[in-house]
Amino acid sequence: MAKTAEVSIPASERGCKLRCVACGTEFERAAQDFRCVNCGELLEVFYPAWEKGDPSHADELRTLWLERRKSLDALDQSGVWRFRELLPGMLDWNKVVTLREGNTPIFELPRCAKSAGVKRLVGKHQGMNPTGSFKDTGMTAAISVAVEEKFRWVACASTGNTSASMAAYAAQAGLRSLVLIPEGKISWGKLSQALDYGALTCQLRTDFDGCLGLLREVIRRLPVYLLNSVNPYRLEGQKTVAVELLEQLEWSVPDHIVAPGGNLGNSSAIGKALLEMRDMGLISRLPKVSVIQAAGANPLVRTVRENRGKSLVTVRPDTMATAIQIGNPASWRKALRVLEATGGAVEEVSETEIALAKAEIGSDGVGCEPASAVTLAGLKKLVKSGFVAPDESVVLILTGHVLKDPEYTLKFHRGDLFAGTSYEGDAGMFEGHRREPLILDADADAVVRALEAAERADIRS
């Protein structure tokens, strides 16, 4: 391989610029680690032409985006590139790498609404993306830039979903991909995806933050394009979930959007989109964006509570919701800014609260991976505290598909998810939610008796 190289195409050629989130320095080009050369903080994409806040084209954009839904063009069939007026431009639109990502549904969650204490609740299910998680919406944008920049290798550190997404898009683009994952801290379902899509996969004896730190050293030595959420072009793609959500709601702004918090890129992207849509006249007010973390991986919660966001409080993460098992989140400053701008809250939930919420989401016929379920668990606390009123409209962002971590689901329904842990004594709270398979003789009478018993149990409940 040749020596390291900076990302060379000027941002202005894409209709945008890059700016440090801490010191405000503006850049035309990014270093390969996408950090400010002055203070080391992350960069963000901004659009100078939008900062005056001209709302005159809002109706035209809404009409254009709806019209594109009828098109058979690959760009228009993507739930990301259909909104390309809000994204960094491509020098050659034929270089876009898309798997028709986005276009994810919103689902009514009536049982979850009752459990949380709100009148109505919907979930925006990003697990319905091509590789089963929200990462695809950002990956299409960032990997398309990598193609135009003529990189041969792309890379990420991952707890699972990023690796699956990156490997799939790299394969589609004809690029090689490198995945660094923490050994023993990733679900087999996610690991199998990265392997199947041809990634060079390295399991390291460290956690996610250790993987990311080592990857930064690798990209300083070799021309490898970084595809973690520190990449600002990736977050531009991820922000389209908020645009698509508002379109699905017929541009009626919900009172609250609740998102999981891991590396905090997703909540940052959602907030960024909302602020931009307000400036462009697409919406007239902002919803409150709240971030929920697992209690065992709660750096943002501790940062807000212990020093009001002045400096990041890192933690050694420990949660079964492996997708958010991150103790040193890269996008913490961006997420804090979203909380402040929207008046949102940050909350933490326990392992048992996550497991119960996941089962409740499943009972509405939707299903999600454990990290997504923190949203419902957190919403319950926000309602109990009075932060969310029962008659307010709420959207949960469900980030990953239920099949991302089937081991977790099976252990829950078998009753041994928390066996041998400090949570083992709390198993009673799952009564009525576990659905362990019955082992019966191959006899119709046995099946009938089981059905009748289930019917009697429903009547009693």
Side-chain angles (χ1 to χ4, degrees):
M1 282 189 182
K3 292 183 178 180
T4 184
E6 69 175 7
V7 180
S8 59
I9 296 175
S12 59
E13 293 189 23
R14 302 188 184 281
C16 60
K17 294 189 75 173
L18 300 169
R19 177 170 56 200
C20 175
V21 299
C23 70
T25 304
E26 297 181 6
F27 299 92
E28 275 283 356
R29 294 176 172 84
Q32 263 188 263
D33 64 356
F34 293 104
R35 290 186 178 270
C36 176
V37 296
N38 295 326
C39 70
E41 283 292 343
L42 298 186
L43 305 181
E44 66 177 353
V45 172
F46 74 102
Y47 305 85
W50 298 2
E51 301 212 324
K52 296 179 182 179
D54 178 11
S56 61
H57 300 300
D59 287 339
E60 294 176 18
L61 287 173
R62 293 192 195 99
T63 301
L64 174 63
W65 296 334
L66 277 176
E67 284 296 317
R68 284 177 179 163
R69 295 179 67 177
K70 305 173 186 176
S71 169
L72 297 179
D73 184 87
L75 286 179
D76 295 337
Q77 289 191 338
S78 165
V80 172
W81 296 103
R82 184 161 63 87
F83 304 108
R84 50 191 174 272
E85 286 74 18
L86 304 183
L87 301 176
M90 295 288 291
L91 278 63
D92 180 356
W93 290 100
N94 293 316
K95 297 289 179 64
V96 167
V97 183
T98 176
L99 292 172
R100 312 309 195 265
E101 54 290 316
N103 301 307
T104 58
I106 54 174
F107 293 115
E108 293 284 343
L109 301 171
R111 292 180 178 84
C112 293
K114 183 178 180 180
S115 175
V118 294
K119 290 183 179 178
R120 183 183 178 223
L121 183 62
V122 300
K124 172 69 168 164
H125 207 326
Q126 292 293 87
M128 299 301 180
N129 269 290
T131 74
S133 86
F134 73 97
K135 306 287 187 176
D136 294 349
T137 57
M139 206 58 67
T140 181
I143 220 159
S144 296
V145 173
V147 170
E148 282 203 326
E149 293 281 358
K150 295 183 169 49
F151 280 87
R152 292 180 54 245
W153 281 84
V154 294
C156 71
S158 178
T159 56
N161 284 329
T162 301
S163 64
S165 181
M166 183 196 70
Y169 280 82
Q172 183 75 196
L175 303 180
R176 302 292 305 278
S177 59
L178 168 67
V179 168
L180 303 185
I181 58 174
E183 186 178 37
K185 298 176 183 177
I186 177 176
S187 80
W188 291 112
K190 298 172 187 177
L191 177 58
S192 68
Q193 287 182 279
L195 299 176
D196 215 36
Y197 303 142
L200 172 60
T201 304
C202 303
Q203 291 185 274
L204 306 182
R205 297 183 183 94
T206 183
D207 59 13
F208 168 82
D209 300 306
C211 290
L212 187 57
L214 190 140
L215 182 57
R216 288 183 67 185
E217 182 179 340
V218 170
I219 65 172
R220 282 195 292 266
R221 297 166 63 176
L222 295 170
V224 177
Y225 189 73
L226 180 62
L227 280 171
N228 280 93
S229 59
V230 298
N231 184 319
Y233 293 113
R234 216 190 90 181
L235 294 194
E236 290 304 286
Q238 282 176 215
K239 77 183 184 186
T240 57
V241 60
V243 187
E244 186 175 83
L245 170 65
L246 267 295
E247 184 183 66
Q248 289 169 315
L249 297 176
E250 298 182 313
W251 301 99
S252 175
V253 180
D255 296 306
H256 296 270
I257 295 177
V258 185
N263 214 22
L264 301 176
N266 200 38
S267 52
S268 301
I270 290 169
K272 185 175 187 292
L274 293 167
L275 290 165
E276 290 174 349
M277 284 192 285
R278 184 191 62 181
D279 292 344
M280 298 179 73
L282 289 163
I283 57 176
S284 59
R285 66 179 181 89
L286 297 174
K288 293 178 180 178
V289 178
S290 294
V291 178
I292 313 299
Q293 296 193 299
N298 62 350
L300 184 64
V301 172
R302 292 190 57 183
T303 296
V304 170
R305 293 178 181 174
E306 295 179 19
N307 64 49
R308 297 184 179 181
K310 293 179 181 177
S311 60
L312 177 65
V313 178
T314 61
V315 302
R316 179 168 290 182
D318 182 20
T319 175
M320 292 182 181
T322 55
I324 53 173
Q325 189 170 254
I326 296 169
N328 186 14
S331 295
W332 70 276
R333 287 188 189 275
K334 295 181 180 181
L336 273 177
R337 191 170 57 188
V338 169
L339 292 176
E340 293 167 359
T342 67
V346 61
E347 186 56 88
E348 63 182 358
V349 291
S350 71
E351 295 298 299
T352 50
E353 288 170 329
I354 295 169
L356 178 60
K358 182 182 180 305
E360 289 172 333
I361 293 170
S363 74
D364 269 321
V366 176
C368 63
E369 70 170 334
S372 299
V374 302
T375 55
L376 176 59
L379 174 61
K380 293 178 186 180
K381 287 190 167 182
L382 296 179
V383 172
K384 188 174 182 180
S385 71
F387 182 78
V388 176
D391 60 347
E392 289 184 306
S393 55
V394 184
V395 178
L396 304 183
I397 304 297
L398 306 179
T399 48
H401 197 279
V402 66
L403 295 180
K404 283 286 188 173
D405 198 347
E407 303 100 322
Y408 184 105
T409 305
L410 290 170
K411 287 181 179 179
F412 175 87
H413 288 289
R414 286 200 308 257
D416 56 5
L417 179 62
F418 296 114
T421 74
S422 59
Y423 303 105
E424 192 168 12
D426 297 329
M429 69 186 294
F430 305 131
E431 193 66 34
H433 293 281
R434 290 179 48 237
R435 297 288 186 269
E436 187 173 9
L438 303 177
I439 308 299
L440 304 173
D441 290 330
D443 177 73
D445 289 339
V447 175
V448 168
R449 286 193 296 270
L451 191 153
E452 290 173 342
E455 180 73 10
R456 288 194 296 273
D458 278 348
I459 292 172
R460 285 195 299 270
S461 63

